[in-house]
Amino acid sequence: MSSAVVNGLAGAGGGIIAQIITYPLQTVNTRQQTERSAKKKKAGSGGSDASTLFQMLQLVQTEGWGGLYSGLKPSLIGTAASQGIYYYFYQLLKNKVEDVAAARGKKGLGDGTVGMFSWLVIAAVAGSINVLLTIPIWVLVTRMQTHTQAERKVIESKRELLLKEISRANPMDAHILKDRLAKLDSEKPRPYGTLQAIREVYRESGISGFWKGLIPTLIMVCNPSIQFMIYETLSKRLKSKRSGKRFPKKNITAMEVFLIGAMAKLGATLVTYPLLVVKSRLQAKQEIGRNAASRYTGTLDAILKMIRYE
């Protein structure tokens, strides 16, 4: 098999393993990103946000262990597809660019190696292809991860309206309203699977709904671009430092790959995290409560409302 196919299969396999291990954290992270929290009037006012560990325990207590793995099946399909597509095209483009660089080096036009800007472009092109092909899967995953949260918001909104009606109603009507309130309090979020998510997205926005959050996601292509630029640069420097030592042909170890990859991903995530929040907000269910500040018409609208209200 070609190196591109091998890289694609390795990327898909590694991505699935990583997804299974980290999925509970991703579920809580997505819920944190989509949770609306009004900005504080004064510095230090209000309680601090609950820790991630506390939220995980709370989720298990209210929804069981299955709550931590909401949307896992489509997520694994999405991970295998996106990682496979990304690494396949990344390696394919990398091979071609390295061949061009080597040919230029033989002609005396450079040192025969690929520069940082080229790594950036390669990763960006591979990432864009990946996004365009797989974003519908991630829209469904985000919906499934945040469904219970959205349902609770709807129930809370209905409860507030009922309490206001009870306070203004006469004793006879208040008794009926209290029965409705008791029934509402006993309601639990409905089971929510992939097919329900597909139907809901299509009912709300049609086919275009499966590409919600496309603009911030495409901009976020710079995340793996930055990641691979840092990774390839660090890897190249490590190899060049060893070239004059006792073991000139020794490759970098798996642990070194892990550490360099972690550093590269950390740097890329810090830079692009705000866009990730915007993407999650757009892909999550929009009808949360009756407050217009909670609904977004597009990327710019989401950014402006989040800054204004939060």
Side-chain angles (χ1 to χ4, degrees):
M1 289 188 291
S2 70
S3 58
V5 174
V6 172
N7 249 38
L9 292 172
I16 287 170
I17 293 167
Q19 190 77 334
I20 291 169
I21 293 169
T22 63
Y23 198 78
L25 284 170
Q26 291 179 40
T27 299
V28 174
N29 183 224
T30 302
R31 292 195 182 196
Q32 288 174 337
Q33 290 167 354
T34 55
E35 182 64 45
R36 273 67 168 168
S37 53
K39 61 185 177 183
K40 306 293 187 289
K41 298 293 182 185
K42 294 180 181 178
S45 65
S48 59
D49 293 334
S51 69
T52 300
L53 180 60
F54 177 79
Q55 289 189 346
M56 287 179 74
L57 293 172
Q58 193 176 45
L59 204 155
V60 171
Q61 187 177 14
T62 55
E63 299 176 39
W65 288 99
L68 290 173
Y69 291 90
S70 300
L72 179 61
K73 288 179 183 177
S75 176
L76 291 179
I77 294 168
T79 298
S82 62
Q83 294 289 85
I85 290 167
Y86 184 86
Y87 281 99
Y88 173 80
F89 282 101
Y90 179 81
Q91 188 65 42
L92 197 69
L93 294 167
K94 180 182 174 183
N95 290 346
K96 290 185 177 181
V97 170
E98 284 180 335
D99 290 342
V100 170
R104 284 173 59 84
K106 288 177 182 177
K107 294 177 182 178
L109 302 171
D111 61 358
T113 62
V114 181
M116 283 175 60
F117 180 73
S118 296
W119 292 130
L120 196 66
V121 173
I122 291 167
V125 173
S128 296
I129 295 169
N130 169 39
V131 165
L132 290 168
L133 293 177
T134 63
I135 192 170
I137 299 171
W138 299 114
V139 170
L140 297 178
V141 170
T142 302
R143 283 294 180 109
M144 293 175 77
Q145 288 177 331
T146 58
H147 169 72
T148 306
Q149 181 185 31
E151 286 281 297
R152 278 212 193 93
K153 292 286 183 184
V154 172
I155 291 170
E156 283 173 19
S157 178
K158 288 179 180 177
R159 193 174 191 279
E160 285 174 12
L161 287 172
L162 276 174
L163 287 170
K164 285 179 183 177
E165 287 179 30
I166 289 169
S167 66
R168 295 194 297 263
N170 58 53
M172 183 69 73
D173 290 337
H175 180 71
I176 297 168
L177 290 170
K178 281 178 182 178
D179 287 340
R180 285 172 59 188
L181 182 63
K183 187 179 178 182
L184 184 68
D185 287 339
S186 65
E187 280 186 22
K188 291 183 178 179
R190 297 162 294 168
Y192 193 72
T194 308
L195 290 176
Q196 289 98 318
I198 292 170
R199 283 197 293 266
E200 186 180 78
V201 172
Y202 183 76
R203 187 172 63 249
E204 286 178 14
S205 310
I207 293 294
S208 63
F210 293 96
W211 274 266
K212 272 190 174 181
L214 179 62
I215 293 172
T217 309
L218 278 174
I219 298 171
M220 270 191 64
V221 161
C222 61
N223 180 294
S225 300
I226 294 166
Q227 176 191 348
F228 273 88
M229 183 180 69
I230 296 170
Y231 175 83
E232 296 287 358
T233 303
L234 292 174
S235 176
K236 184 178 172 182
R237 286 188 179 180
L238 189 59
K239 286 176 182 176
S240 65
K241 279 187 177 181
R242 290 182 175 176
S243 61
K245 303 216 174 166
R246 291 173 61 190
F247 306 104
K249 292 185 180 178
K250 186 180 179 183
N251 290 324
I252 56 177
T253 65
M255 180 54 70
E256 287 168 338
V257 169
F258 175 83
L259 293 173
I260 293 170
M263 289 171 65
K265 189 64 178 177
L266 179 63
T269 300
L270 287 171
V271 173
T272 60
Y273 193 79
L275 282 169
L276 186 62
V277 176
V278 173
K279 177 189 77 74
S280 295
R281 292 283 183 96
L282 289 170
Q283 291 178 349
K285 190 173 182 177
Q286 295 297 301
E287 290 74 22
I288 296 178
R290 293 174 176 268
N291 189 356
S294 297
R295 296 191 295 274
Y296 311 123
T297 58
T299 304
L300 185 60
D301 183 55
I303 292 169
L304 293 175
K305 281 181 177 176
M306 285 168 67
I307 292 170
R308 181 181 176 187
Y309 296 109
E310 301 179 52

